[in-house]
Amino acid sequence: MILPIYLYGSQVLRTPAQEDDLSDKAWLTQFIADMIETMHHADGCGLAAPQVGVSKRILVVDGNDLTDRYPELKGFHREMINPRFTFESEKTCSYEEGCLSIPNIDADITRPETIRVRYVNPAFEEVEEEFSGFAARMIQHEMDHLDGVLFTDHASPIRRKMLTGKLMNISRGNVRTRYRVKTDKK
Ligand code: NI
């Protein structure tokens, strides 16, 4: 089922998400399938549960549409329940980011180049994995959503100032998207 995506300005995007207690595995399996369907429908490469109004620590990423720019992402996708960083490198790198909750906006964002994450996979196994390059970038962007943080928060002060008007319009729902969106007001 394709779910509507909450836009910048919605309270749920600023609320730290709760860990799931893994008690309802059928619900989790269906919800992750819905998140993947919603992400693909919107042509996104990542989605976090708060973006569809569910304040839980669940995220999905899929790099298969990005292989023109990042060939190493061929076949790369992850679905993570309760992810936590176990390592973030001091070495950083910069990539251009965007977000389905902040349509038609991008910014260069600097973040750690390599990360390790411990999470529960869709088979309900706890795993720890290391990621670097754009895969690490996608996961860090979605992990931020679970803490109520948006990529624009990390943009340079000048870039943030330039985006103020656009962000205001998005929070009012004044934005054109090919996918269904929601704000707190409508
Ligand atoms: Ni996002």
Side-chain angles (χ1 to χ4, degrees):
M1 184 173 61
I2 294 167
L3 306 166
I5 294 175
Y6 279 80
L7 290 177
Y8 182 95
S10 305
Q11 194 57 44
V12 69
L13 295 179
R14 291 304 193 181
T15 307
Q18 301 294 308
E19 292 218 325
D20 188 272
D21 64 9
L22 307 177
S23 61
D24 192 345
K25 294 189 168 60
W27 178 84
L28 275 165
T29 299
Q30 184 58 51
F31 180 62
I32 288 170
D34 290 345
M35 284 182 70
I36 292 169
E37 190 181 356
T38 301
M39 169 180 66
H40 286 151
H41 172 73
D43 283 332
C45 64
L47 192 69
Q51 292 182 273
V52 290
V54 174
S55 197
K56 292 197 175 209
R57 299 188 69 87
I58 303 170
L59 67 83
V60 298
V61 291
D62 187 333
N64 284 292
D65 282 346
L66 304 173
T67 49
D68 283 352
R69 270 174 98 174
Y70 309 108
E72 69 276 15
L73 293 179
K74 187 168 163 44
F76 173 76
H77 68 93
R78 290 293 184 279
E79 301 77 33
M80 299 183 172
I81 305 162
N82 300 339
R84 293 282 178 189
F85 290 114
T86 55
F87 172 76
E88 294 167 82
S89 66
E90 270 176 40
K91 190 174 179 206
T92 58
C93 60
S94 186
Y95 283 109
E96 190 178 271
E97 294 186 28
C99 182
L100 293 174
S101 294
I102 316 178
N104 312 327
I105 283 184
D106 51 58
D108 285 319
I109 307 295
T110 299
R111 298 182 189 266
E113 185 172 63
T114 302
I115 56 166
R116 270 201 295 275
V117 183
R118 184 175 296 152
Y119 65 96
V120 174
N121 70 15
F124 302 104
E125 302 155 337
E126 187 163 271
V127 288
E128 185 168 356
E129 269 189 292
E130 186 167 296
F131 303 94
S132 57
F134 204 75
R137 175 53 55 109
M138 293 158 76
I139 291 166
Q140 288 177 88
H141 175 113
E142 303 311 330
M143 293 278 280
D144 259 358
H145 277 300
L146 307 183
D147 294 326
V149 175
L150 299 170
F151 81 95
T152 45
D153 301 343
H154 299 295
S156 69
I158 290 172
R159 186 82 182 116
R160 275 213 306 277
K161 199 162 185 184
M162 281 167 55
L163 294 175
T164 307
K166 278 189 177 179
L167 291 173
M168 189 80 81
N169 277 327
I170 292 170
S171 68
R172 290 174 178 149
N174 297 331
V175 66
R176 197 185 279 268
T177 56
R178 287 171 297 96
Y179 47 93
R180 203 148 57 93
V181 293
K182 242 176 121 77
T183 66
D184 290 344
K185 284 154 216 113
K186 64 173 193 182

